[in-house]
């Protein structure tokens, strides 16, 4: 008999060796923990065998086969996915404006593919896949309706704590009970015997010995004799083993030796006092020991051994006990049911459930929206000059400025050396001053007079927009070197110096004012539409880079404009010296004041219009409303500060800069030169300018032309004007800017205003600039020629060289030299300046129009997209991605599809430089596949999956491959959304799961998974971020596939994943594996996926009759695949080093916490059904029962000496023996443990009296049961044989090989015990009884051993014990 057991054990060990050799290539040496015995010191480099591969069930077929059983199950909701688990949800696009920013006729006018697609993007609603139970698909911390931890817990008074607060009555209490009391001064030495103690280390303290309410003694010490205060420390004498004299360090010293090998050194002032203290303490120790022994004898006399009963009596005894147990259980359950009504859930107060963990929190994804930088309000109040008078004819009215002035505001950044905002024009003139310009209003309005003021712009009366005084500016990168600059202009009269002179003197202001007023009236009547530069001022905006407004700053004094320093470049140079008083003091100053304030602005600021005059929400359309204008910000051309366009905007800013006319011979007079700008769509004779130019204050909102400032007597004038043009939706080759140059006569010597217009202004040249060049809008600086005439068809003129040309005859000024400099700046969300993007869309449009598409040509344009500018890529991100996915679905060549994917990888990698949120917004809200048509195009998910497999196979293009791994989430989420949209739009959701997708696609998905795995498992060292990202993305992809595909097929992919990992892998691979399992097991329908239902043979009439699995059998792991896989991996991880064990236990515990708080499974029957999935946890813990170290299971750490460390080394290991799990005998714990533990819980015993010896007994018993001896060869095989006949029939799933014997750490033990208690608490009574009936005696003993460990681990030790440790 003995020989047979030995042979079986030998065969088992031989199988272990063979298994290890099979996997030795994949395993690695585990990493030992610090302070932990390395495994290499325990075994001769033996490694764990890989768990047996278990093929999952065919989930869909099982549902069909067991359809009747599932339908009849009262808890069938836990077995089936809900109907309409996901759907396409369309969210209305809500912008910040009251109406759409896209013009009404824009869609009809658009012909360019890029323009059309952009408009479609800005008009489209949001399309997202809504998973009804998505809130349940994350960590337990993100569960909806999760019961919060109560702020205040019910107050419970425990017997052990009754005397803690009785500080003042302690002494009297001890005397009443006849206890020993003593007090006096002693010297206290260092408490740690391991550290050398010197005379100086002793401190004088007042000691007070007293008896507590439970009969135990405590020795408190104080700084003085006021014992009513809190003591400085306490010595609990129930842990004291003896008191001995110790005169080696100090005279009259004695030592208190404690159970944990520590000691307390005390010293009296005399020999008599020392003897008195030692005597009193010894009496206490003697009485405590006698009381403990008497209690032990009394307890032993009440116990009756089963062996002492006769056979018949034993049977009657058992039968009566079972009958009594049944009745007792029945009444107890009724009482417990009432008690449980107000109880908290098991995990409610668990530390892990309250711990904040942000690692698994996904970013909050929001739809695209307009984003602004630091916004602030600029309020223009007044422009005041020292030269004042009444301008009315009858001299009745207020005193005002004597002539009209016009203010233009803009932001300048001297750090980046550029202008960062559009111009904001303000008219602060008094109405009586404005009346001086009445005759010139018709010209300013483009020839329509004031009648145009009756029009409305986007529903707003035009007169509300004509005199703005408030503007909202935005700055994306605020800092101290940003200035608000105000340029002041006046009606053209003459030279700047001459006109500014009266404003620079303070004497005889009345006479000077009348003279200036007279000249101003004449100038306004003749030249009211022409302006001249006059003054400028500036002020800083921000105090710091955080965007704190400098509200106390004021505008500087008004400096006179220098006619030779008018350009923006010159102004930026002046601003560089703005904070240098010694330089600014040299500039000529005009006496006056500009009152403009700035303030913060709220997001819902009322009555605003955007830069296109479209009213923003909260707009109050009333006659007296003050409209606030938003001023356009000019963003730098960097991807970091760019954002995807969300609204229609199509503005062109034109800047006439310089005209060099000093060498021209075509015109006699050309000095006071004004530039008139028009936007035209034809060069025919009858063509008219378009009314698309934004007007100035006082005029029409939109005009046909705009004039620049005029410099008096300048042949080579500079200009700083900014002209804002609203471009048509569809531009064509005839659209152009026409510049007409006028010589303006400033001579006002003639009497009256009867002089003809021809004598005021005369044409001195023309220039034109086509808007489009190579299909793109022209921008930046342009040098163009000036002609003396404007023939019909002037746009067709083309210089051929050698003096030849095509088109009409043109008389060029100055030999057709490029003498006119003009700059343009495009702010458009429908046109791009990027050549590569423009060419790509043009070719796509050509292919869509029916032209024969060439694969090689398309590949060329796709490759050119890699050179696309970063900010353009971000700006047009949704439109570009939509077009690329469209090309991918229509690709007829694999090379095209692969290159599309390469471009996608490039774009995604560029966007991840701090702009990842835009990609997530696109996938969730924008991405939408075109309606599927098998004859025209394929599906995106099919083509994208194929392309990804090609890129993962390609070894040459490793950079693209690494990027694909790093940003794989984007592509895998695109696959999921495409699959979901395809199922809904083609009505395939009604089909069986295995009919939804073709077999070819499933094969491609499986290939993709198998190609990803070697990259993940081999690149984790060199490319850790790529490996982790790909691993997590794959987990999310597979998890979401459960909602879309054949679930049995998805199970197989999980199996394919797990096969790439082996026991003994490096820590990083374990992290990847358990992160994958964590994501998968967090699926919202994790319970139905595991089918918590009977799988026994034959028909099971009741759920109680099913064959429950308490071990990880093959059938269990197959039928309940996910939970079986998880527990197999946890069981395997328990044989690894600490970090691996902890991450495995954490995944299991988090999942159980989620089940506890899931409001879908609150019923007791539902929790019981869930518990059946975790019954194999019992077997898992029983296999590791010896590793739950009873010695270390105290709720608080216990000090250990060096001897204790040596004892730990002997606990599980013997030289020359096979390392297995040592099993405990049924009598390994003394009977005293039962009395003391249950006595503490029930309140009949104290943890401070007799409990201390009990804990000691537990330690000694544990040590005895843990030792492995070569002489105990009969115990282990017998135990194994007994298990094989009970619950361990198929106990080979986890891998029967080398099992560790080292103790688990306290946190690991507590977490495992919490999981054990959850299952035990949740499981049904029938399931528990079934387990007890099936379990062999050793397993039953181990089961109750674990319960005892739970009592030790989670028992309440009292406030004094907590304070002590």
């Amino acid at each position: 008999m003995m020989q047979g057991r030995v042979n079986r054990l030998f065969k088992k060990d031989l199988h272990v060796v063979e298994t290890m050799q099979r996997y030795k290539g994949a395993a690695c040496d585990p990493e030992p923990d610090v302070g932990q015995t390395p495994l290499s010191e325990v075994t001769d480099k033996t490694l764990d065998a890989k768990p047996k591969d278990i093929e999952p069930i065919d989930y869909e077929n099982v549902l069909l086969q067991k359809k009747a059983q599932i339908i009849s199950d009262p808890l069938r909701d836990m077995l089936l996915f809900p109907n309409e688990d996901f759907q396409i949800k369309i969210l209305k696009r809500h912008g910040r404006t009251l109406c759409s920013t896209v013009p009404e006729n824009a869609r009809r006018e658009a012909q360019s593919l890029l323009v059309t697609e952009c408009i479609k993007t800005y008009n489209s609603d949001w399309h997202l896949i809504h998973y009804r139970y998505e809130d349940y698909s994350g960590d337990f911390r993100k569960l909806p309706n999760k019961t919060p931890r109560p702020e205040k817990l019910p107050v419970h008074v425990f017997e052990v704590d009754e005397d803690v607060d009785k500080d003042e009555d302690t002494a009297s209490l001890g005397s009443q009970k006849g206890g020993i009391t003593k007090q006096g001064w002693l010297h206290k030495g260092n408490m740690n015997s391991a550290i050398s103690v010197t005379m100086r280390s002793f401190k004088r303290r007042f000691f007070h010995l007293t008896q507590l309410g439970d009969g135990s003694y405590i020795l408190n010490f104080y700084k003085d004799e006021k014992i009513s205060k809190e003591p400085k420390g306490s010595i609990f004498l129930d842990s004291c083993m003896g008191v001995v004299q110790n005169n080696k360090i100090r005279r009259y010293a004695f030592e208190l030796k404690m159970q944990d090998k520590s000691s307390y050194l005390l010293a009296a002032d005399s020999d008599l006092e020392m003897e008195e203290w030692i005597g009193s303490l010894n009496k206490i120790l003697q009485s405590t020991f006698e009381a403990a022994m008497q209690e032990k004898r009394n307890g032993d006399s009440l116990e009756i051994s089963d062996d002492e009963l006769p056979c018949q009596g034993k049977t009657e005894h058992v039968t009566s006990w079972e009958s009594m147990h049944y009745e007792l259980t029945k009444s107890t359950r009724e009482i417990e049911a009432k008690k449980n009504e107000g109880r908290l859930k098991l995990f409610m107060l668990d530390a892990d459930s309250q711990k904040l963990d942000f690692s698994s929190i996904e970013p909050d994804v929001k739809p695209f929206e307009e984003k602004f930088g630091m916004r602030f309000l600029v309020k223009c109040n007044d422009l005041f000059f020292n030269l004042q008078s009444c301008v009315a004819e009858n001299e009745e009215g207020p005193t005002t400025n004597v002539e009209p002035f016009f203010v233009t505001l803009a932001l300048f950044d001297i750090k980046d050396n550029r202008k960062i905002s559009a111009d904001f024009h303000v008219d602060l003139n008094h109405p009586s001053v404005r009346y001086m310009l009445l005759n010139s209003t018709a010209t300013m309005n483009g020839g329509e007079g004031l009648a145009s003021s009756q029009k409305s712009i986007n529903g707003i009366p035009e007169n509300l927009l004509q005199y703005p005084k408030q503007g909202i500016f935005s700055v994306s990168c605020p800092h101290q070197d940003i200035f608000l600059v105000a340029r002041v202009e006046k009606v053209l009269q003459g030279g700047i110096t001459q006109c500014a002179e009266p404003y620079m003197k303070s004497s005889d202001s009345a006479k000077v004012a009348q003279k200036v007023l007279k000249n101003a009236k004449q100038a306004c009547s003749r030249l009211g539409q022409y302006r001249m530069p006059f003054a400028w001022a500036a002020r800083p905006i921000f105090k710091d880079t955080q965007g704190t407004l400098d509200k106390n700053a004021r505008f500087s004094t008004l400096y006179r404009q220098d006619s030779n320093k008018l350009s923006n470049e010159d102004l930026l140079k002046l601003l560089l010296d703005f904070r240098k008083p010694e330089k600014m003091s040299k500039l000529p100053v005009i006496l006056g004041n500009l009152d403009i304030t700035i303030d913060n602005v709220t997001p819902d600021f009322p009555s605003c219009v955007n830069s296109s005059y479209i009213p923003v929400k909260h707009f109050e359309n009333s006659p007296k409303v003050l409209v606030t204008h938003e001023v356009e910000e000019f963003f730098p051309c960097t991807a970091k500060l760019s954002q995807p366009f969300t609204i229609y905007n199509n503005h062109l800013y034109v800047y006439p800069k310089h005209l060099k006319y000093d060498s021209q011979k075509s015109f006699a007079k050309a000095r006071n030169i004004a530039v008139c700008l028009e936007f035209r769509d034809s060069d025919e004779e009858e063509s008219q300018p378009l009314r698309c130019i934004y007007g100035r204050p006082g005029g029409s909102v939109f005009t046909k032309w705009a004039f620049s400032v005029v410099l008096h007597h300048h042949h080579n004038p500079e200009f700083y004007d900014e002209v804002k043009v609203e471009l048509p939706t569809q531009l064509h080759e005839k659209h152009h800017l026409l510049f007409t140059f006028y010589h303006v006569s400033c001579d006002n010597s003639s009497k009256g205003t009867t002089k003809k217009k021809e004598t005021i202004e005369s044409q001195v040249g023309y220039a034109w600039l086509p808007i489009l060049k190579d299909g793109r809008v022209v921008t930046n600086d342009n040098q163009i020629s000036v002609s003396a005439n404007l023939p019909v068809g002037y746009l067709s003129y083309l210089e051929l060289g050698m003096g030849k040309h095509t088109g009409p005859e043109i008389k060029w000024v100055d030999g057709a030299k490029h003498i006119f400099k003009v700059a343009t700046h495009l702010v458009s969300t429908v046109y791009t300046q990027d050549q590569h993007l423009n060419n790509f869309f043009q070719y796509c449009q050509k292919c869509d129009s029916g032209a024969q598409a060439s694969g090689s040509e398309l590949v060329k344009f796709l490759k050119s997209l890699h050179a696309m500018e970063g900010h353009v890529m971000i700006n047009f991100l949704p439109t570009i991605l939509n077009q690329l996915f469209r090309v991918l679905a229509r690709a007829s060549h694999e090379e095209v599809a692969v290159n599309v994917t390469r471009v996608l990888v490039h774009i995604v990698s560029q966007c991840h430089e701090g702009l990842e949120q835009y990609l997530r917004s696109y996938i969730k809200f924008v991405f939408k596949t075109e309606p599927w048509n098998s004859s025209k195009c394929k599906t995106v998910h099919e083509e994208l999956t194929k392309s990804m497999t090609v890129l993962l196979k390609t070894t040459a293009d490793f950079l693209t491959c690494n990027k694909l791994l790093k940003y794989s989430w984007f592509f895998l989420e695109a696959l999921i959304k495409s699959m979901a949209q395809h199922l809904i739009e083609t009505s395939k959701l009604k089909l069986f799961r295995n009919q939804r997708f073709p077999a070819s696609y499933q094969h491609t998905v499986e290939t993709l998974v198998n190609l990803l795995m070697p990259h993940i498992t081999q690149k984790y060292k060199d490319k850790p971020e790529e490996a982790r990202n790909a691993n997590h993305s794959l987990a999310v992809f597979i998890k979401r596939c459960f909602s879309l595909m054949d679930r049995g097929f998805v199970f197989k992919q999980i199996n394919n994943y797990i096969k790439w990992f082996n026991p003994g892998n490096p820590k990083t691979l374990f992290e990847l594996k358990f992160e994958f399992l964590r994501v998968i097991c967090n699926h919202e329908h994790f319970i139905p996926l595991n089918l918590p239902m009977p799988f026994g043979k034959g028909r099971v009439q009741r759920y109680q009759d099913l064959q429950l699995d308490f071990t990880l059998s093959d059938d269990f792991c197959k039928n309940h695949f996910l939970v079986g896989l998880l527990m197999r991996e946890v069981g395997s991880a328990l044989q690894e080093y600490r970090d691996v064990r902890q991450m495995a236990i954490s995944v299991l515990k988090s999942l159980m916490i989620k089940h506890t708080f899931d409001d879908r499974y609150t019923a007791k029957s539902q929790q019981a059904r869930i518990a059946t999935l975790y019954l194999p946890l019992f077997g898992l813990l029983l296999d590791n029962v010896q590793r739950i170290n009873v010695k270390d299971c105290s709720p608080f750490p216990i000090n250990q000496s060096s001897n204790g460390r040596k004892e730990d080394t002997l606990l599980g290991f013997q030289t020359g023996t096979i390392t297995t799990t040592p099993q405990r005998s049924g009598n390994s714990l003394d009977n005293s443990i039962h009395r003391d533990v249950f006595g503490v819980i029930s309140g009949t015993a104290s943890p401070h009296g007799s409990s201390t010896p009990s804990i000691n007994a537990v330690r000694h018993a544990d040590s005895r049961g843990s030792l492995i001896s070569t002489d105990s060869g009969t115990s282990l095989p017998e135990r194994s044989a007994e298990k094989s006949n009970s619950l361990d029939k198929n106990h080979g799933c986890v891998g029967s090989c080398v099992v560790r014997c080292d103790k688990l750490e306290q946190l690991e033990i507590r977490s495992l015990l919490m999981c054990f208690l959850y299952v035990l608490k949740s499981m049904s009574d029938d399931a528990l009884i079934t387990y007890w009936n099936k379990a062999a005696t050793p397993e039953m003993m181990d089961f109750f051993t674990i319960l005892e460990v739970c009592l030790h681990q989670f028992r309440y030790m009292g406030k004094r014990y907590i304070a002590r440790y």
Side-chain angles (χ1 to χ4, degrees), residues 2 184 516 577 630 634 811 818 827 845 890 954 1044 1351:
M2 177 72 68
V516 172
D577 299 330
E630 292 181 349
F634 294 156
K811 299 179 180 179
H818 296 164
V827 180
Q845 184 172 10
R890 298 178 180 179
T954 307
L1044 307 173
L1351 292 175

Side-chain angles (χ1 to χ4, degrees), residues 836-855:
H836 310 290
L837 180 61
N838 192 71
N839 293 344
F840 170 69
F841 270 91
Q842 283 184 346
Y843 187 80
C844 290
Q845 184 172 10
K846 179 181 176 182
C847 296
D848 292 343
S849 61
Q852 185 65 33
S854 171

Side-chain angles (χ1 to χ4, degrees), residues 818-883:
H818 296 164
I819 57 177
F820 179 51
K821 183 178 181 181
V822 59
T824 56
H825 177 62
L826 180 67
V827 180
S828 175
T829 60
V830 292
Y831 286 97
T832 177
Q833 297 302 297
D834 189 88
Q835 176 184 356
H836 310 290
L837 180 61
N838 192 71
N839 293 344
F840 170 69
F841 270 91
Q842 283 184 346
Y843 187 80
C844 290
Q845 184 172 10
K846 179 181 176 182
C847 296
D848 292 343
S849 61
Q852 185 65 33
S854 171
S856 58
E857 279 291 307
L858 184 54
V859 168
K860 182 183 72 173
F861 287 111
L862 285 169
K863 289 182 177 180
S864 69
L865 289 179
H866 289 270
M868 181 170 38
E869 293 182 88
H871 69 281
V872 175
M873 183 189 305
I874 301 300
N875 292 151
F876 292 94
L877 183 66
T879 305
I880 295 172
L881 293 177
N882 285 342
Q883 184 63 25

Side-chain angles (χ1 to χ4, degrees), residues 420-440:
I420 61 172
S421 79
D423 285 345
F424 178 51
H425 302 283
V426 183
D427 184 347
L428 298 176
N429 295 304
H430 190 272
S432 59
V433 179
R434 292 176 185 164
Y435 186 78
M436 298 169 62
L437 295 169
L438 183 62
N439 295 333
S440 62

